[in-house]
Amino acid sequence: MAGGGLAAPAGGGTQFEAKITPIVIISCIMAATGGLMFGYDVGVSGGVTSMGPFLKKFFPVVYRRTQAGDHDSNYCKYDNQGLQMFTSSLYLAGLTATFFASYTTRRLGRRLTMLIAGVFFIVGVILNTAAVNIEMLIIGRVLLGCGVGFANQAVPLFLSEIAPTRIRGGLNILFQLNVTIGILFANLVNYGTAKIEGGWGWRVSLGLAGIPALLLTVGSLMVVDTPNSLIERGRLDEGKAVLRRIRGVDNVEPEYLELVEASRVAKQVQHPFRNLLKRRNRPQLIIAMALQIFQQFTGINAIMFYAPVLFNTLGFKDDASLYSAVITGAVNVISTVVSIYSVDKVGRRFLLLEAGVQMFLSQTVIAVILGLKLKDSTSSSLPSGYAIMVVIMVCTFVSAFAWSWGPLGWLIPSETFPLETRSAGQSVTVCVNLLFTFVIAQSFLSMLCHFKFGIFLFFSSWVLVMSVFVLFLVPETKNVPIEEMTERVWKQHWLWKRFMDDDDEHRLEGGKGIDGEKNGYRNGFDPVSQL
C-alpha cells in the first residue's frame, strides 16, 4: 500500500494453491507458545520486584527505601542497578544465545531449535523458583534468556514459512499474541501471589513460568518442521511431502519448485552474515534493525517490565498498582487480536502510522499530567481522577503498540529476508531487539529517577521519529509471497530499488538465478537436478 506516493503497491504476487489446514493452525499455535514463555518472563519480573518479601531477601537496600520513605524523590524509590540487572540479565543472555540459535535454526531446523529453547526455559524456571541467593537468581534468568534467544530466532521463521501467504501476517502475529497473553497471565499471577502470607508468593510467580515452558517443549515435539527448512537441509522428498500435508492440496509443484530454487541459491552463499552486508540485502537489514530499535524506544517494555513499580511510583498502593498492571495486560491481549484480524487487510504501513499518532498523543498527555499534578516527593501521590486518567492513557498507548509495533516488529523482518540470508537476518533482528531491550531494562528506573515525567516526552519524541521512518522507508508487504519480495517489493520502492541492481556479484553462474523470466525453472531449468 503506497503512502504519500512514496512506495509502489506491493500486491499481486503469485498465489500458490493452498487450504488453511488443521495441521497449519495447530503447528502455529504450538510454536507460538514460545511467545507465551517470553511474555510471562517480561510480565512476571515487574510484579515480583514490587513484592516486599522478594525485595527484602534479594535487594534489602531497595526494600528499606520503599518501606521507610527515606528517599527524597518520588521517582527514585526503585533506582537500583542490581534490581535492574535481575530484569535485564535475561535479555543480555538472549542476545548472546541468538547467534548459536542462528546455527541450529539453519543446520538442525526450526523445530529442534524450539525444543532447545524449551529445555533452557525449564532449567531456568527451576533455578529461579528455588533461588536462595542473588547468584542463583541471576543464573536462572540467564538460562531463561538463552531460551528467549533460541525461541525468538526459530518461532517467527517457523510461523512465516509454514503459513499460506494470504494469512501469513495473522498467523505470525500468534507469536506476539502469546507474548501479550503471557504478560497478562503473569500480572494475574502476581496479583494473586502478592497476597500469600509467609513471604513465598514470589516463588509461585516464578515457578508458574514452568507451564508455558512445558507447552513449548511438548509443542516442539509434536509439530512438523517447515518445508523450507527440510529442503534447505537436502531432504527434498520429505519437504515435498510436508508441503503437501500443510497445504492440503496435491498440486504443490509450483510452490515446491520455487522453494527448491530459493534453497539452491541459498546454498551458494558461503557466509550468510557477510552476505547480509551486500548492497542488495541492505534495505532488509536496515529496516529490520531499525524496527527493533524503534520498538524498544516506544517505551513499551519500560511500562510492561515495571508496570507495578511504575504505578507504585505514581502513588498507587500495592494492590492498585498490580490491578492497574492487569488492566494494561488485558488491553494488550485484546489489541493484539485486532492486529491479527486487520494486518492482512489494511496492511502493515497503515497500522504502524496510525499507532504512531496514538502513542505520541497518549505519552504526551501522561507527561503533562505527571508534570503538573505529581510533586517530586515520596509523600506525594496523584489525585485519584488524574491517576485514573494516567491508567487510561497508558492503556491507550499499550493498545496502539499491541496492534502495530509489537507484532509487526517481528513480522516484517521474518517475511522480507531472502532464504539465503533469512536465518542470519533473523539472528541479527533478535540480537538488536534484545540488545536494546537490555538497554531499556537496565536503565529505565534510573532514567525515571533523573528524567522524572520527562521520560514520557523522551519516548514520545522517538515515536515521532519512527513514524517518519515508516512513512518514507518501510514498504508494504501484505499478500506478497516470501520468495517474491525482491521483485514485488524492493524493486518497486522509490529508494530501495537503487540497491537491487543485478550486477555481477549478484548474478549466479550461467544466469541461473531466482529473478526474472530468464532465470529459474520458468525457462526449462530444473532446480531439483541442481541440488
Side-chain angles (χ1 to χ4, degrees):
M1 179 175 64
L6 299 175
T14 303
Q15 294 293 325
F16 298 113
E17 187 179 353
K19 298 178 180 177
I20 302 175
T21 58
I23 190 172
V24 168
I25 302 299
I26 293 172
S27 295
C28 288
I29 291 174
M30 297 303 290
T33 54
L36 189 66
M37 185 70 227
F38 186 23
Y40 189 88
D41 284 330
V42 169
V44 78
S45 59
V48 166
T49 52
S50 71
M51 295 181 185
F54 177 84
L55 292 175
K56 186 176 182 180
K57 183 173 182 63
F58 297 106
F59 305 100
V61 173
V62 178
Y63 177 75
R64 288 193 297 270
R65 186 186 301 164
T66 59
Q67 295 299 307
D70 61 351
H71 207 282
D72 293 334
S73 176
N74 206 353
Y75 291 93
C76 299
K77 291 186 289 188
Y78 292 89
D79 181 18
N80 180 273
Q81 288 299 308
L83 184 62
Q84 292 177 132
M85 180 57 71
F86 164 70
T87 298
S88 62
S89 58
L90 182 149
Y91 306 99
L92 189 61
L95 186 158
T96 305
T98 188
F99 290 106
F100 296 96
S102 174
Y103 175 84
T104 62
T105 302
R106 188 173 64 254
R107 297 295 185 183
L108 304 180
R110 286 55 161 156
R111 175 177 172 270
L112 187 56
T113 302
M114 290 188 290
L115 178 61
I116 294 172
V119 173
F120 272 123
F121 279 137
I122 291 174
V123 177
V125 167
I126 292 173
L127 284 177
N128 268 352
T129 306
V132 294
N133 52 49
I134 187 65
E135 291 79 13
M136 195 171 177
L137 196 68
I138 296 298
I139 291 174
R141 290 287 288 180
V142 167
L143 290 175
L144 289 175
C146 292
V148 166
F150 277 83
N152 284 14
Q153 169 74 15
V155 172
L157 287 182
F158 180 93
L159 295 175
S160 285
E161 291 177 347
I162 206 168
T165 300
R166 67 183 184 277
I167 60 168
R168 183 179 67 235
L171 287 183
N172 192 285
I173 293 175
L174 280 173
F175 178 76
Q176 182 65 21
L177 177 63
N178 275 267
V179 171
T180 63
I181 292 173
I183 293 172
L184 176 59
F185 180 44
N187 288 334
L188 290 170
V189 168
N190 287 334
Y191 184 75
T193 57
K195 300 179 181 298
I196 295 177
E197 297 181 1
W200 50 272
W202 62 269
R203 293 191 186 274
V204 177
S205 290
L206 296 178
L208 287 177
I211 295 176
L214 285 172
L215 286 175
L216 176 62
T217 305
V218 173
S220 62
L221 293 172
M222 295 176 61
V223 300
V224 295
D225 216 335
T226 69
N228 310 59
S229 178
L230 292 169
I231 292 170
E232 186 180 21
R233 289 178 284 145
R235 296 157 64 176
L236 301 184
D237 292 339
E238 187 177 351
K240 190 172 186 178
V242 169
L243 184 62
R244 188 176 288 112
R245 284 178 63 196
I246 65 176
R247 296 294 179 251
V249 297
D250 292 328
N251 182 28
V252 297
E253 196 69 16
E255 184 175 5
Y256 170 71
L257 288 175
E258 185 155 307
L259 292 177
V260 170
E261 169 64 3
S263 177
R264 186 187 68 82
V265 173
K267 287 183 178 179
Q268 298 187 4
V269 178
Q270 300 299 317
H271 305 285
F273 281 98
R274 188 185 305 168
N275 194 57
L276 275 176
L277 300 178
K278 289 186 176 180
R279 181 177 173 82
R280 68 184 288 117
N281 292 322
R282 288 176 195 168
Q284 302 96 312
L285 182 63
I286 290 170
I287 288 176
M289 293 177 64
L291 288 178
Q292 301 313 305
I293 296 171
F294 289 151
Q295 187 189 70
Q296 298 313 308
F297 278 91
T298 60
I300 185 64
N301 276 342
I303 291 175
M304 302 314 293
F305 289 153
Y306 300 114
V309 170
L310 176 63
F311 288 124
N312 247 329
T313 297
L314 301 181
F316 291 60
K317 296 185 183 298
D318 290 345
D319 283 354
S321 65
L322 286 170
Y323 187 64
S324 299
V326 170
I327 293 174
T328 58
V331 169
N332 201 10
V333 173
I334 294 171
S335 300
T336 304
V337 174
V338 172
S339 183
I340 291 177
Y341 175 78
S342 60
V343 68
D344 289 317
K345 292 181 172 62
V346 303
R348 283 67 161 153
R349 280 170 51 86
F350 176 84
L351 290 177
L352 291 172
L353 292 171
E354 184 280 332
V357 175
Q358 190 170 324
M359 289 190 293
F360 177 82
L361 293 176
S362 58
Q363 287 184 316
T364 302
V365 171
I366 293 172
V368 170
I369 292 175
L370 298 185
L372 295 177
K373 297 298 179 180
L374 184 65
K375 296 179 180 179
D376 191 16
S377 66
T378 55
S379 61
S380 174
S381 62
L382 278 177
S384 59
Y386 289 102
I388 293 172
M389 180 60 70
V390 167
V391 173
I392 292 174
M393 287 296 100
V394 168
C395 290
T396 302
F397 167 79
V398 169
S399 65
F401 177 87
W403 64 53
S404 62
W405 286 92
L408 299 183
W410 294 109
L411 170 61
I412 293 173
S414 72
E415 67 183 4
T416 52
F417 283 107
L419 182 61
E420 62 265 26
T421 59
R422 191 172 300 153
S423 181
Q426 183 69 8
S427 182
V428 171
T429 298
V430 175
C431 176
V432 173
N433 181 277
L434 294 177
L435 173 62
F436 283 88
T437 302
F438 168 78
V439 169
I440 294 297
Q442 186 63 29
S443 61
F444 174 70
L445 294 179
S446 298
M447 291 170 67
L448 182 63
C449 179
H450 291 89
F451 287 9
K452 299 179 173 57
F453 65 87
I455 187 70
F456 292 98
L457 295 177
F458 171 80
F459 287 129
S460 66
S461 64
W462 275 102
V463 170
L464 184 61
V465 170
M466 64 185 70
S467 297
V468 173
F469 178 86
V470 171
L471 180 64
F472 286 91
L473 297 179
V474 176
E476 183 56 70
T477 57
K478 73 168 183 175
N479 298 329
V480 181
I482 292 179
E483 307 306 338
E484 296 187 13
M485 287 290 172
T486 297
E487 289 294 330
R488 302 289 182 176
V489 175
W490 304 113
K491 287 187 177 182
Q492 306 302 321
H493 190 271
W494 71 276
L495 173 64
W496 301 130
K497 65 182 179 181
R498 303 175 188 179
F499 292 79
M500 297 293 121
D501 298 332
D502 291 323
D503 54 24
D504 290 339
E505 71 168 318
H506 301 127
R507 288 182 189 140
L508 301 175
E509 289 186 14
K512 299 290 195 294
I514 61 175
D515 298 330
E517 292 293 326
K518 66 180 179 179
N519 300 320
Y521 56 85
R522 294 187 182 92
N523 198 33
F525 172 69
D526 180 11
V528 179
S529 65
Q530 302 298 312
L531 291 176

